[in-house]
Amino acid sequence: MSSRLSAFAKYTTAIFIAGFILAPFLWTLLCSLKPNSELLQYPPTVFPHKIIFSHYIDLIKDTYYPEYFFNSFLVALLTTPITLLIATPGAYSLTRFTFRGRDTFATFLLFSYMVPLLLLGLPMFMLMSIFHILNTRTSLVISHVAFCLPFCMWMLRSFFLSIPKSLEEAAMVDGAGRLQALVRIVMPLAMPGLISCGIFTFVLVWNEYTLALLFIRSEQLKTLPLGMVAFMGRIASQWGYLLPGIILMIAPLLVITMVVQRALVRGFLAGATKG
């Protein structure tokens, strides 16, 4: 009887937490399907009396939202693999090679991530201006890689430290080189860390506003966070554009999370078994 009560309490708590987290998203989704007359109705209605999709159609047809979406997706898609490509060997070198100041440098990595983004954005702006790449997607990719790299290296360093060196040494005794040991032994065991860093980088770039505000001026090159601000006025907001824009902005993150969730859990279990 006590085990049933314990299970009931756990499931009830989990459902309550999930409902609390999903409530704003569900409310936004329901409001995006309401007509304009019902959006500002008081008292508000939970479920729309009439479901419409014209807000989504108008958003895509009448605004630059498709361009905003494409720019954010492209920048995030380029930034994520470049960051992982640099962070993986960097973090690996901090755990497998001994050199003076290694631990100090690793600590400095985390410290550099704590610096306010605006302080980093100003010198980045000057560098982008010198190289004449302001108002380009290239400037966003470079700046986002520089901002995400320290935290990804720190996170991957923790995963590499948890992998015994004896596994690599055994592979190298059998004739594998250092690079082969990294690719075939270490990286599969560190796959949960790689996926976590990839998700972290993609979400951070997808939602980033400050650097896009500094570097981008053209309407066609704006990212989603920057473009969404155009729908928010000082007196009144364009809710017919803003609400469906929020839903379409969240949807890719939900899809990516659901796709990689199984791989992430499988990687954790495999790492625990092999470790």
Side-chain angles (χ1 to χ4, degrees):
M1 186 68 180
S2 59
S3 61
R4 291 183 178 181
L5 289 176
S6 176
F8 176 78
K10 290 180 180 178
Y11 282 112
T12 303
T13 304
I15 292 173
F16 175 78
I17 294 174
F20 181 79
I21 295 173
L22 291 175
F25 174 77
L26 294 176
W27 176 258
T28 305
L29 176 62
L30 292 172
C31 288
S32 68
L33 301 174
K34 295 179 180 179
N36 288 324
S37 58
E38 196 175 347
L39 279 177
L40 302 178
Q41 181 179 330
Y42 185 83
T45 57
V46 178
F47 298 99
H49 297 307
K50 180 182 178 182
I51 296 178
I52 63 170
F53 295 94
S54 59
H55 293 318
Y56 291 88
I57 297 173
D58 294 340
L59 176 68
I60 295 173
K61 289 175 56 179
D62 301 338
T63 70
Y64 284 101
Y65 193 87
E67 284 83 356
Y68 302 155
F69 191 96
F70 174 77
N71 293 329
S72 288
F73 186 78
L74 182 62
V75 171
L77 194 64
L78 292 174
T79 301
T80 301
I82 294 175
T83 302
L84 293 179
L85 190 63
I86 300 174
T88 300
Y92 179 80
S93 65
L94 291 175
T95 60
R96 295 301 189 265
F97 302 117
T98 302
F99 52 89
R100 182 178 299 179
R102 184 186 66 174
D103 295 334
T104 303
F105 179 75
T107 304
F108 178 76
L109 283 175
L110 189 62
F111 174 77
S112 64
Y113 185 74
M114 299 178 184
V115 178
L117 184 57
L118 187 60
L119 294 181
L120 297 176
L122 294 177
M124 285 183 184
F125 180 88
M126 297 176 63
L127 289 174
M128 303 301 173
S129 178
I130 293 173
F131 290 105
H132 303 287
I133 54 175
L134 284 176
N135 198 36
T136 63
R137 300 187 187 97
T138 304
S139 63
L140 292 180
V141 173
I142 294 175
S143 59
H144 287 146
V145 169
F147 182 65
C148 297
L149 192 58
F151 185 81
C152 288
M153 286 184 63
W154 178 268
M155 183 184 295
L156 289 176
R157 175 178 176 269
S158 301
F159 276 89
F160 289 152
L161 285 173
S162 65
I163 299 174
K165 294 182 180 179
S166 58
L167 297 176
E168 297 170 73
E169 293 171 353
M172 286 188 281
V173 167
D174 291 336
R178 174 72 68 176
L179 182 60
Q180 289 177 315
L182 170 63
V183 174
R184 297 184 179 182
I185 304 297
V186 178
M187 289 185 64
L189 294 177
M191 190 57 64
L194 293 171
I195 296 176
S196 300
C197 288
I199 295 175
F200 163 79
T201 303
F202 191 94
V203 172
L204 186 67
V205 174
W206 187 263
N207 296 322
E208 202 283 321
Y209 174 79
T210 305
L211 295 178
L213 181 64
L214 286 174
F215 300 152
I216 301 299
R217 293 293 178 266
S218 174
E219 193 71 26
Q220 290 81 2
L221 294 177
K222 287 183 178 180
T223 56
L224 276 173
L226 199 59
M228 292 287 288
V229 176
F231 305 142
M232 301 173 61
R234 293 184 179 180
I235 300 176
S237 298
Q238 296 173 295
W239 297 108
Y241 292 152
L242 194 59
L243 293 172
I246 293 173
I247 295 299
L248 293 178
M249 185 175 177
I250 296 174
L253 301 181
L254 294 178
V255 172
I256 291 173
T257 302
M258 289 188 291
V259 168
V260 303
Q261 182 181 11
R262 291 184 179 181
L264 186 62
V265 174
R266 194 185 308 118
F268 276 120
L269 294 177
T273 302
K274 294 178 183 179

